[in-house]
Each structure stands twice: as C-alpha cells, then as structure tokens.
Amino acid sequence: MGVLGASRLFGRLDREVLRQLRDDFHGEHIESGQVIPRERLSAEFFIVEGGRVERVYSDRESGRELTLETLRSGGGFSLLSVLDGEPSQNMTVAAETSSLLAVPVSVLRRWLPMYPDLSAAFFRELSEQLRRLESLAGELACSNTLTRLARLLVHHAVDHSSSLLESHEHLPLEIDLTQEELARMIGSVRVVVNRHLQTLSRLDAVELERGKIRIRDFERLSELCELPLREHLRAG
C-alpha cells in the first residue's frame, strides 16, 4: 500500500484495512516554499508521500526561525489537531517540492477507537514528537551552537546510514541541507553556522566546496557532540 503501509502510523494495519482507509485520503503536490494554511492543519491530517516538509517556529519581532521538525516520506503532521481540533501556531512549509496524502481530522479521530494498532501508533508517535521537542528545548538552553551543529550533522548522517560507524566507505557524505536550513534547525543564523563550519573544516571533520557540505570524520564530530558516536546510533 505504498507510503501509507510503510508509515509508522499505519504500517501495522492489515493490508485489506489499509485499502479501505486509503480511499478516504486524497493526494496533492505542493511546491518548494509553499506554506500550508493553518486552517487546513486543524481540519486535516497529512502524511508526506515524497519530498521534505518542515514545521517551523517564526518569531514575529526578530524574524528568526527555528525548525522544530523535518518530515520526509512516511512522516505525519497535525497530530495535536486530531486531539483538540486547534490549528498549530507554527508554520508548516515545503522545504522542496513534495507530495502529500491528506485525510480529514474527523475521519482519523473516528478510526482511532476502531483500530487499536492505529491508536497505539498514534499516541506513540505523539509521545516521540513531544520528546523530540523536549530534547530540542534542552539543547537550546544548555548547549552551545557548535555542539548543536555537530549533533545535527551526526544525526543527519546516522539517519542516512548507520553502517557508517563500521565502514567509512561512503565518506565523505554530502549533506543535503543548506547553511540557512542548518541555522533554522539549531536556532541560529547563517553567519554563525558558516563560522562554525569553517572551524569544523579546519578540524578536518567536514569539507566545504562550492556551497556543498560533506562530512569527513564522524568520530571527530562525535567528540564535539560530547557523546560517543554509538550513543547517537542508539538514540537514532
């Protein structure tokens, strides 16, 4: 059943049940930079079918932005709206051209008591989302910017290939994020991220070339994260 069957939320459901539920979803494409209206976020639940979508906090006074969550294929958003019907106060934007599956919140709310596996997955996903936000708040309060950047790069690499711990055959690994995107993800600004990337480059942890960022040394990055690399693998 494609991305729906592979998603963490719906993946445990029987294939026949998935076929029935799929009929209530509709697909759509959104262009890079397109913002999903807040009123839709309170009325519909979305799953990313392809591409990349970000949930972003934006400070009106300073104009600074913080990426709260990055969602790729199989990731779902509008979880809280399923519970309270209220729109998110944060911005949800396509970081690249993306395809989405959407279903009315009222329909998903009706499904939860009908399918125990779906209900368990929903609250597990909601719990993990809250824990990620808790971790982010702790890092913003207690970790310096260089440490946060190093952790982000390591986690990004682990998400792509945990086998890199045992074999460096894929090094250097190119990061598919811009400096502006990295800055939003760690609550900083581009000029600061650029300065820290230059520091990491001098340490031979990353290499910079024509706007591209490539990881060269995971162990060195891990030392800057203040945790052994295997701890990141377990956390991931």
Side-chain angles (χ1 to χ4, degrees), residues 1 4 13-23 115:
M1 293 302 294
L4 195 62
L13 296 180
D14 180 81
R15 291 180 63 86
E16 183 56 37
V17 172
L18 280 176
R19 288 192 186 92
Q20 296 174 17
L21 301 188
R22 179 64 179 83
D23 291 339
Y115 304 104

Side-chain angles (χ1 to χ4, degrees), residues 38-95:
R38 286 191 172 93
E39 56 268 22
R40 287 199 63 191
L41 295 174
S42 63
E44 296 175 88
F45 176 79
F46 298 84
I47 290 181
V48 180
E49 190 171 25
R52 180 161 54 96
V53 174
E54 294 180 347
R55 295 177 58 240
V56 178
Y57 169 79
S58 179
D59 185 83
R60 293 182 179 179
E61 292 187 4
S62 67
R64 291 180 59 177
E65 295 182 342
L66 170 66
T67 299
L68 302 173
E69 188 175 26
T70 299
L71 298 150
R72 300 179 187 269
S73 180
F77 56 97
S78 292
L79 290 169
L80 286 175
S81 294
V82 175
L83 296 181
D84 62 13
E86 295 295 322
S88 172
Q89 297 305 305
N90 300 306
M91 180 171 61
T92 303
V93 58

Side-chain angles (χ1 to χ4, degrees), residues 77-217:
F77 56 97
S78 292
L79 290 169
L80 286 175
S81 294
V82 175
L83 296 181
D84 62 13
E86 295 295 322
S88 172
Q89 297 305 305
N90 300 306
M91 180 171 61
T92 303
V93 58
E96 58 190 54
T97 299
S98 304
S99 55
L100 306 175
L101 295 175
V103 66
V105 160
S106 59
V107 173
L108 179 53
R109 195 179 292 139
R110 188 175 71 242
W111 287 342
L112 292 178
M114 294 173 60
Y115 304 104
D117 285 343
L118 174 60
S119 180
F122 175 87
F123 286 104
R124 183 167 55 248
E125 191 72 12
L126 181 61
S127 174
E128 290 184 10
Q129 182 184 99
L130 294 175
R131 290 185 187 280
R132 287 194 296 270
L133 292 175
E134 181 182 54
S135 177
L136 176 61
E139 287 196 2
L140 289 172
C142 301
S143 297
N144 62 51
T145 309
L146 178 59
T147 299
R148 297 203 303 272
L149 177 61
R151 285 178 177 169
L152 174 59
L153 293 174
V154 168
H155 282 301
H156 187 81
V158 169
D159 286 343
H160 280 72
S161 177
S162 60
S163 65
L164 289 169
L165 177 64
E166 285 73 32
S167 171
H168 289 185
E169 63 184 34
H170 299 293
L171 291 176
L173 175 69
E174 187 169 311
I175 299 298
D176 60 346
L177 298 168
T178 66
Q179 292 188 25
E180 190 71 38
E181 289 172 324
L182 290 172
R184 286 203 306 270
M185 295 174 81
I186 62 171
S188 186
V189 293
R190 184 185 181 281
V191 64
V192 174
V193 166
N194 181 268
R195 185 167 67 243
H196 287 317
L197 286 172
Q198 297 296 336
T199 298
L200 294 176
S201 178
R202 289 193 294 272
L203 294 171
D204 290 327
V206 305
E207 62 181 41
L208 307 173
E209 182 182 0
R210 297 179 181 177
K212 301 292 185 182
I213 306 167
R214 299 182 181 91
I215 296 177
R216 290 180 54 85
D217 190 329

Side-chain angles (χ1 to χ4, degrees), residues 214-231:
R214 299 182 181 91
I215 296 177
R216 290 180 54 85
D217 190 329
F218 289 97
E219 294 294 346
R220 183 67 58 87
L221 279 177
S222 180
E223 291 170 4
L224 293 167
C225 296
E226 303 170 356
L227 281 174
L229 185 54
R230 290 184 183 274
E231 291 296 320

